């Protein structure tokens, strides 16, 4: 089975649609706003986890064993991705911020925090879409 980034791009597309739906809403105190905000945040969480799994697989192409990569915490996976050119320094910093935010979304269910997360998502969407072709190149080269 060839590895690809199709699922990652699908989660990005879902996130984009949720963000576009939010932009079209006239008021933010509506339950529909909550629905789309929650969909955006869930898409963010899913795509971040998917990106992490794909990065782990991509790192094995640089000589690390699957066992070694599996021992890495997510932040170290991001740092190694930077080391191998999958992310630049600024992207690594942003991805570390996304991860920290994700860790908080798992424990903080407040409306204020959810709205703060929404502010990160347009840049995140750009970053996830920029990362996907880098990962795909690694998979293509390894096959």
């Amino acid at each position: 089975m060839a590895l690809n980034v199709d699922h990652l791009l699908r989660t990005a597309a879902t996130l984009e649609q949720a963000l576009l739906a939010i932009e079209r809403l006239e008021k933010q105190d509506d339950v529909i706003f909550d629905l789309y905000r929650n969909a955006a945040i869930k898409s963010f969480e899913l795509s971040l986890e998917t990106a992490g799994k794909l990065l782990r697989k991509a790192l094995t192409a640089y000589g690390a064993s699957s066992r070694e990569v599996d021992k890495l915490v997510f932040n170290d996976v991001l740092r190694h991705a930077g080391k191998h050119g999958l992310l630049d320094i600024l992207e690594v910093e942003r991805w570390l911020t996304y991860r920290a935010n994700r860790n908080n979304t798992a424990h903080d269910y407040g409306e204020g925090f959810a709205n703060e997360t929404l502010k990160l998502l347009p840049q995140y969407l750009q970053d996830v879409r920029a990362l996907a072709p880098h990962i795909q190149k690694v998979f293509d080269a390894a096959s």
Side-chain angles (χ1 to χ4, degrees):
M1 178 175 106
L3 292 171
N4 65 58
V5 296
D6 292 348
H7 180 66
L8 179 61
L9 292 174
R10 176 82 177 204
T11 61
T14 304
L15 172 57
E16 179 181 41
Q17 290 305 307
L19 293 175
L20 289 171
I22 288 169
E23 287 178 12
R24 289 189 298 265
L25 293 175
E26 293 181 17
K27 54 185 178 169
Q28 293 188 354
D29 61 348
D30 191 340
V31 73
I32 298 300
F33 172 80
D34 293 344
L35 175 79
Y36 287 125
R37 182 189 58 209
N38 293 349
I41 291 170
K42 193 47 130 176
S43 294
F44 161 64
E45 292 172 348
L46 180 58
S47 66
L48 188 64
E49 293 305 313
T50 301
K53 289 177 183 180
L54 292 172
L55 281 170
R56 286 179 189 281
K57 290 178 182 182
L59 289 176
T60 62
Y62 295 98
S65 72
S66 294
R67 188 175 298 199
E68 290 170 333
V69 172
D70 287 344
K71 291 179 186 177
L72 296 174
V73 296
F74 196 95
N75 288 354
D76 287 337
V77 169
L78 295 172
R79 290 182 186 99
H80 282 275
K83 176 181 165 185
H84 295 293
L86 295 168
L87 298 168
D88 68 31
I89 276 270
L90 294 175
E91 290 170 326
V92 169
E93 291 301 319
R94 286 195 304 270
W95 279 87
L96 290 169
T97 299
Y98 303 144
R99 180 60 180 186
N101 182 277
R102 164 61 182 102
N103 287 344
N104 290 334
T105 62
H107 305 291
D108 186 334
Y109 303 103
E111 182 178 335
F113 184 76
N115 289 333
E116 286 300 310
T117 299
L118 276 182
K119 293 176 186 175
L120 292 175
L121 298 184
Q123 179 64 55
Y124 172 77
L125 185 58
Q126 290 178 21
D127 284 338
V128 77
R129 286 189 166 145
L131 176 62
H134 295 297
I135 295 172
Q136 190 62 59
K137 282 182 194 175
V138 172
F139 293 160
D140 292 347
S143 61

